Amino acid sequence: MYELFKNLGWWLVSGEQWSGPDGIGHRLAEHLQYSLLATLVAAAIALPLGLLIGHTGRGAFLAINLASFGRALPTVGLVVLVFLASGLSMWPVYVALVALAVPAIVTNTYAGMNAVDPDVKDAARGQGMRWHQVLFQVELPLALPLIMTGLRLALIQVVATATIAAYVSFGGLGRYVFDGLAQRDLVQVLGGAVLVAVVAVALDLALSALQRALSLPHSRLRSSGGTPIRPA
């Protein structure tokens, strides 16, 4: 066991392992590209949907159940299905990753919007706020913690699952896992798994810091017990 961890440490810090097209630096950049792009696309789909159903209260049952259905889809099976339909490309990977990320964002965005006190929204309308002002100046700031939690969950899931890019002969950190399994190289497999875990933790911490930064301008709203700010 000691020898295994010793070899793993050497594999992770070796300058040779970090250089070239098969090096950790290049594979890390590929993995981040797959993960961040898929999460951004999922957010572009899921955030407006979650905000809409949370604000209007309409379509919640259908949207949440569709999101749950997407979460239940087997990721590898979806990759294979899209692969058979579109051929050898990154489309199967992106479709699978987006389908994986959408449910967490939709459900948490809806939950955050739904948790806003109706009296707060009524008070905002009573002060003359229009629907978009209520949405963006009252509901969204109060729902932001749960929305950010959904984004963080989605990103972590996508980072962990983006290893499937190597399943259809593309890059990313999953390359070390699949190649290591094929070559029976346990050090390479563990190295790939450790790198994926480190990336997931680092991105989660980055989003947590972003959440705190975004929450600062709205601390007055929350500390005042949810009293809406009077529109200009």
Side-chain angles (χ1 to χ4, degrees), residues 198-213:
V198 169
V199 170
V201 171
L203 290 176
D204 183 55
L205 291 175
L207 275 183
S208 178
L210 177 61
Q211 178 179 342
R212 289 193 296 270

Side-chain angles (χ1 to χ4, degrees), residues 141-155:
L142 293 174
L144 187 60
L146 275 176
I147 294 174
M148 290 301 297
T149 298
L151 288 170
R152 289 167 62 184
L153 288 172
L155 183 57

Side-chain angles (χ1 to χ4, degrees), residues 6-7 19 26 50 76 123 133 135 138 142 160 181 199 230:
K6 178 182 176 181
N7 291 336
S19 60
H26 183 70
V76 174
Q133 292 176 309
L135 174 60
V138 178
L142 293 174
L181 288 172
V199 170
R230 185 179 297 275

Side-chain angles (χ1 to χ4, degrees), residues 76-89 91-93 167-168:
V76 174
L78 185 58
V79 168
V80 173
L81 181 63
V82 180
F83 175 78
L84 293 174
S86 65
L88 183 61
S89 69
W91 279 108
V93 176
Y167 184 77
V168 285

Side-chain angles (χ1 to χ4, degrees), residues 43-129:
I45 296 170
L47 279 176
L49 181 60
L51 290 174
L52 178 64
I53 62 176
H55 179 72
T56 63
R58 299 174 182 173
F61 178 81
L62 178 61
I64 298 303
N65 278 277
L66 285 176
S68 300
F69 174 74
R71 184 180 297 167
L73 284 174
T75 306
V76 174
L78 185 58
V79 168
V80 173
L81 181 63
V82 180
F83 175 78
L84 293 174
S86 65
L88 183 61
S89 69
M90 275 298 299
W91 279 108
V93 176
Y94 283 125
V95 168
L97 293 180
V98 169
L100 178 69
V102 163
I105 301 174
V106 168
T107 53
N108 278 270
T109 301
Y110 168 70
M113 297 288 288
N114 193 53
V116 177
D117 191 340
D119 291 339
V120 173
K121 293 184 282 187
D122 289 340
R125 296 187 190 100
Q127 291 182 2
M129 283 188 172

